[in-house]
Amino acid sequence: MLDDKITSETFWEGVWENNPVFVMLLGMCPVLAVTNSTINALAMGLATLFVLLSSSLLVSLIRNWIPKQTRIAIYIIIIATFVTVVDYVIQAISLDLYNALGAFIQLIVANCMILGRAEAYASKVPPVKSLVNALGMGVGFTIALLCLGSVREILGSGTLLGFDLFGEHYQQWVVMILPPGGFFVLGGWLLLFEWLRQRKEQEES
Amino acid sequence: MTETTVEKPSSLRMIISLTLVSILSGIAVVSVYLYTKPIIDENKRRAIEAAVLKVIPDAAGYQPFLLEDNTLKPATDSKTKGLLFYAGYDQHKQLVGLAAPANAQGYADKVYIIYGYRFDCECITGVKVIKHAETPGLGDKVITDQSFVANFDALDAKVNVEGSALQNRIITVKHGAKTNPWEIDAISGATITSRAIGKALDIGAGQLLPQVLKFRDQLEAQ
């Protein structure tokens, strides 16, 4: 299954077939926590994408060199290093953004999607292939965060990317930007994707 | 991975690999830290400058001071003992007001603010939240909600006749219940954060203003 050929499936797997959020249900902590506005979701998605790309590349490059027994520890060190880099870079780019994302930047270290990709994929395939797959996964993750973030922002604040959509008489559905709203919206999207999948399967059979 | 008997690699190899990776990681983190530190410090300084000039509307420049054991001295970098505040001066170098940091416990963590104070109206003229960890979209309304921000257009902060404390303690009241100029009208749905800002102002201004007023002449001479 894991040969060295790069196909379009290498990329699209992460976006659709094995979307880290909607199919594999990985990395739920940032998915639920920072998706209360579109811009936070986008920033978190891009930060995760960067960490995923760089750690996948590095893990793939040194995959034949690290002893099996210490591999997880090494993956964690690599991931933590890139997360710390992202942490400082975001602080340098914008303090406002940094304050908005709060502790969740540091928590990318514990995002099981990244460790999962390192262990299950990057450590078994050559660098370019692992990079393409990581890009797909990261894009899939970012899209999923945006799906949640935009719906929650529209319902909960009546805005999208900060622009007022419904005028001042809109009664905000505040629960949507609170933690329960994260579960509601995630459940809604999961239902939708499952329904789409079943319909596709029925059409095929 | 093709051998049937999994050979245990020597401990030395494991130690070397982990050590190497850790050293490289350390070097990477330290170099990024050193590279971004001046930028981050500059960002923080600019955030404070923007905040100070925003909360004292007429100020054109400012100077940091420290109040320590009843003496006033210019604040030097990185020394934070004593009460820090920024005296604001207009274009003609006239003292108009001051800005000072304050904080209080909010819903998730401490809310850090900078507030402005004007000497002529003896009132608080603006509040800017510097750092907070409140629920985005809910607690952070204290920054975006215009009717809440309007609380601080001229929030009464007169010092009592004895010069020992505020004449009226600043309190946060339920949304729509504001009747006095020293009360803050809370945001419904963000009551705890609204209260945190009221408390920060009450404690911060209550401690600083009575002392600062004694040094007003000295500040004006600067």
Side-chain angles (χ1 to χ4, degrees):
Chain A
M1 174 186 133
L2 288 174
D3 54 7
D4 293 354
K5 261 214 329 262
I6 300 170
T7 59
S8 62
E9 188 56 25
T10 314
F11 175 78
W12 287 108
E13 183 202 352
V15 180
W16 182 252
E17 196 110 335
N18 271 329
N19 185 295
V21 175
F22 292 136
V23 180
M24 298 200 285
L25 295 176
L26 289 177
M28 283 298 116
C29 168
V31 168
L32 294 167
V34 296
T35 54
N36 40 29
S37 78
T38 318
I39 191 74
N40 287 1
L42 184 66
M44 189 67 194
L46 291 180
T48 311
L49 175 68
F50 171 78
V51 175
L52 183 60
L53 277 179
S54 13
S55 57
S56 288
L57 177 66
L58 207 61
V59 165
S60 174
L61 279 173
I62 60 171
R63 69 187 189 284
N64 294 326
W65 176 79
I66 41 177
K68 198 163 164 274
Q69 281 78 357
T70 54
R71 67 187 194 285
I72 300 286
I74 289 178
Y75 298 159
I76 291 283
I77 295 174
I78 292 174
I79 295 168
T81 308
F82 284 117
V83 169
T84 315
V85 169
V86 168
D87 191 73
Y88 285 130
V89 168
I90 290 187
Q91 277 192 66
I93 294 173
S94 162
L95 277 181
D96 290 339
L97 185 62
Y98 183 75
N99 288 337
L101 293 176
F104 294 100
I105 291 290
Q106 286 96 318
L107 280 178
I108 297 178
V109 177
N111 190 321
C112 47
M113 175 190 72
I114 298 177
L115 186 62
R117 279 293 99 185
E119 164 74 3
Y121 204 91
S123 61
K124 291 174 184 155
V125 300
V128 179
K129 186 170 183 189
S130 120
L131 207 56
V132 172
N133 183 263
L135 186 68
M137 283 286 167
V139 169
F141 188 74
T142 309
I143 291 176
L145 285 184
L146 280 176
C147 284
L148 266 85
S150 53
V151 169
R152 289 178 69 186
E153 192 184 334
I154 292 171
L155 296 177
S157 313
T159 58
L160 185 60
L161 282 165
F163 294 109
D164 212 328
L165 290 182
F166 304 114
E168 56 181 302
H169 295 297
Y170 178 70
Q171 181 60 48
Q172 291 152 351
W173 199 0
V174 177
V175 72
M176 280 305 168
I177 42 179
L178 291 176
F183 287 98
F184 288 146
V185 177
L186 179 67
W189 280 108
L190 288 177
L191 267 178
L192 178 73
F193 280 107
E194 194 50 38
W195 177 70
L196 283 176
R197 207 183 316 279
Q198 282 190 1
R199 219 176 60 154
K200 206 176 152 200
E201 272 170 19
Q202 276 172 5
E203 270 171 22
E204 276 166 3
S205 61
Chain B
M1 291 296 284
T2 43
E3 305 103 301
T4 39
T5 51
V6 180
E7 283 276 323
K8 196 174 173 239
S10 68
S11 307
L12 191 66
R13 206 177 144 219
M14 291 196 257
I15 292 172
I16 290 176
S17 65
L18 268 176
T19 315
L20 258 180
V21 169
S22 309
I23 290 174
L24 289 178
S25 153
I27 294 173
V29 168
V30 167
S31 35
V32 170
Y33 174 75
L34 287 179
Y35 178 72
T36 52
K37 190 167 191 309
I39 311 176
I40 294 171
D41 286 347
E42 173 67 13
N43 275 352
K44 285 186 178 156
R45 196 194 59 76
R46 250 189 301 180
I48 288 179
E49 184 179 283
V52 167
L53 296 185
K54 188 178 166 254
V55 293
I56 323 176
D58 294 333
Y62 70 95
Q63 240 175 326
F65 288 100
L66 270 183
L67 257 182
E68 199 183 341
D69 305 331
N70 264 326
T71 49
L72 180 77
K73 49 183 160 191
T76 43
D77 281 339
S78 74
K79 197 168 165 289
T80 44
K81 252 184 86 186
L83 291 172
L84 174 75
F85 71 95
Y86 307 91
Y89 301 90
D90 64 9
Q91 310 92 299
H92 312 296
K93 305 268 181 245
Q94 293 295 309
L95 182 70
V96 282
L98 65 85
N103 66 71
Q105 179 66 37
Y107 183 70
D109 198 355
K110 279 191 167 176
V111 180
Y112 295 84
I113 60 170
I114 282 191
Y115 63 90
Y117 170 85
R118 275 188 74 106
F119 288 104
D120 52 5
C121 69
E122 294 179 70
C123 60
I124 283 163
T125 50
V127 164
K128 187 160 167 55
V129 178
I130 299 297
K131 190 170 169 237
H132 74 94
E134 306 298 278
T135 319
L138 212 61
D140 67 356
K141 272 192 196 152
V142 294
I143 303 170
T144 49
D145 190 309
Q146 287 311 310
S147 60
F148 181 75
V149 173
N151 275 310
F152 311 112
D153 286 346
L155 184 72
D156 183 278
K158 283 191 183 66
V159 173
N160 62 11
V161 200
E162 299 86 47
S164 57
L166 291 184
Q167 196 175 353
N168 302 293
R169 296 191 62 171
I170 296 167
I171 45 170
T172 310
V173 295
K174 235 170 72 183
H175 181 69
K178 174 175 170 147
T179 47
N180 295 310
W182 55 84
E183 286 172 347
I184 299 170
D185 197 3
I187 303 175
S188 56
T191 322
I192 296 177
T193 316
S194 308
R195 274 199 211 126
I197 290 185
K199 204 173 156 205
L201 285 176
D202 184 46
I203 296 171
Q207 201 181 6
L208 179 74
L209 294 182
Q211 296 189 53
V212 165
L213 288 185
K214 296 175 195 156
F215 296 101
R216 193 172 162 182
D217 299 340
Q218 212 177 320
L219 286 171
E220 264 165 6
Q222 293 282 331

